[in-house]
Amino acid sequence: KMWINEFFFLMIRRPPRSTQSRSSAASDVYKRQGINAEYMGNNKKMEQPQIKLYSYFRSSCSWRVRIALNLKGIKYEYLPIHLVKEGGQQNSEEFKKINPRGYVPALFIDGDTLIESLPIIEYLEETRPEIPLLPKNPRDRAVVRAICEIINAGIQPLQNLSVLQKVE
């Protein structure tokens, strides 16, 4: 049981607060990469890249992505996809263009649409490492990933809407 407590501490802990604001920290990252975050080319203010999360408020998969985005301080547009209304908005032709599998979450980021919560979170961790979600120690990271997989493959599918609809 001790490792479970350690896991929840590692996964749920808030990132350490710095005296620097998130926007100032992001500006420093841009500067280190040689990017002027205020002006680009024609001296117009650079807009932050648009990030869109297609999500359902009761989806545990979507919760994981929202938690990761919020812990990392990443601003995003929340686009609700109701899984029950109108026969399930995820089944609409419009949403199937975003995610042909018809599942949430789907995250539009860096010009691509990513699907499935764990790969989305791994992408965020790899492309935006400034505020890490995983511990530094490889063993601890392995424990966190194992527990994530237990939840992802062992627990979560049993309460998934598609499974519940077939059981009824």
Side-chain angles (χ1 to χ4, degrees):
K1 288 187 179 185
M2 180 110 165
W3 67 273
I4 292 175
N5 291 337
E6 289 175 16
F7 162 75
F8 284 112
F9 172 75
L10 293 170
M11 286 303 292
I12 297 174
R13 71 175 170 79
R14 294 188 60 87
R17 297 278 182 205
S18 79
T19 56
Q20 191 176 33
S21 73
R22 287 192 192 277
S23 60
S24 175
S27 179
D28 286 350
V29 169
Y30 286 133
K31 284 177 191 169
R32 282 195 303 273
Q33 295 174 351
I35 299 169
N36 186 337
E38 289 185 25
Y39 297 100
M40 200 157 172
N42 57 7
N43 285 344
K44 289 187 178 178
K45 284 216 175 202
M46 183 175 98
E47 292 183 24
Q48 189 171 12
Q50 186 135 16
I51 299 173
K52 296 179 182 182
L53 175 63
Y54 299 88
S55 179
Y56 180 56
F57 73 101
R58 287 171 46 187
S59 161
S60 60
C61 299
S62 295
W63 269 76
R64 290 192 281 269
V65 174
R66 287 195 308 267
I67 289 168
L69 287 165
N70 290 326
L71 284 173
K72 285 187 157 290
I74 299 170
K75 295 191 183 301
Y76 61 95
E77 181 182 357
Y78 180 87
L79 298 166
I81 304 296
H82 203 289
L83 301 184
V84 180
K85 267 187 197 171
E86 303 161 8
Q89 294 173 340
Q90 75 279 15
N91 297 317
S92 71
E93 299 238 354
E94 183 181 342
F95 185 70
K96 293 273 186 150
K97 290 176 186 172
I98 295 161
N99 182 358
R101 295 194 66 219
Y103 291 144
V104 293
L107 184 71
F108 178 80
I109 186 168
D110 300 334
D112 290 310
T113 300
L114 306 175
I115 60 171
E116 300 295 334
S117 61
L118 291 182
I120 290 171
I121 293 168
E122 288 174 11
Y123 179 86
L124 294 174
E125 187 74 353
E126 291 169 6
T127 61
R128 288 149 177 87
E130 298 81 20
I131 301 174
L133 298 175
L134 293 172
K136 289 183 180 185
N137 180 295
R139 183 205 167 274
D140 293 343
R141 281 196 312 269
V143 169
V144 169
R145 287 182 174 124
I147 293 173
C148 290
E149 191 57 30
I150 290 168
I151 293 167
N152 190 48
I155 298 170
Q156 189 269 333
L158 300 176
Q159 54 87 34
N160 197 336
L161 182 62
S162 62
V163 173
L164 293 176
Q165 287 173 337
K166 290 194 189 309
V167 171
E168 292 176 353

